[in-house]
Amino acid sequence: MQIRTTTTLVYGFAFPTQVIGKIEAALSSDQTVLSEALSAIPSTELARDTGPDGERSFRACLSGEVTISYEAVVDNGTRALLPSAARQHLWSELPADVLPYLLPSRFCPSDQFQRFALREFGQAEDGVARVMSIMEWINRHVDYVSGVSTAETDAAHTFTVRAGVCRDFTHLGITLCRALSIPSRAVSAYAVDLQPPDFHAVMEVFLNNRWWLVDPTRLAPIEGLARIVHGRDAADLAFLTTDKPCQLIRQNILAEAI
């Protein structure tokens, strides 16, 4: 599928502020960026970086009111959907770069959920069955509600209040998967048909020697995702990180199938 993304972020910076932005579509093996343009108004030098898996970011020093714009056309091919069955690997079988996604992280305290996860989902037959059992549990027990979580909310809080947004659903899904020794990581993406349009947080699980995209919220089709960046949790995915407080004036994020 070819996807057109349009992003406009308008921020106010009271003082010269160092920023790191992560809004560019990744140059990953499962998608191709056909065209793109990144700019800032007033005109500002943006230092652009590319990570080992094709994830990209920019750095800059911004002050005053700044508009950051990004447009791209991305071909994500034919997204591979989670199969009906797939084997869960032993730790000794996993590639070294996958091992960090077994461990607890800032927003995903998986070590606190091992007993619960084993009791609720441990009897499922294979890796996919366990993942789908977790997704079904989240769908039945957690409501999608804006305003009940903050940037500091972790999976343990979401498990308690049973409500949140895509970021919270993803953190809880990752936490429960890791508690069952299924490597899992967070992914930020542009999502076709997402309402209301915004950056979307989903997750990936590592089964059958590859990563598979999963959306715990069920709000957007996997086939319509354009990957931006992946990481342990939202701390690695923030679309704008700053060294001083700033004010969001407005934002517009749109992804549409061509």
Side-chain angles (χ1 to χ4, degrees), residues 35 133 142 161 182 196 221 232 248:
S35 65
S133 293
V142 183
V161 301
I182 299 174
R232 295 162 299 175
L248 171 62

Side-chain angles (χ1 to χ4, degrees), residues 206-218:
F206 192 86
L207 300 167
N208 268 12
N209 211 37
R210 61 160 293 173
W211 290 102
W212 304 90
L213 283 163
V214 181
D215 183 1
T217 69
R218 301 179 176 177

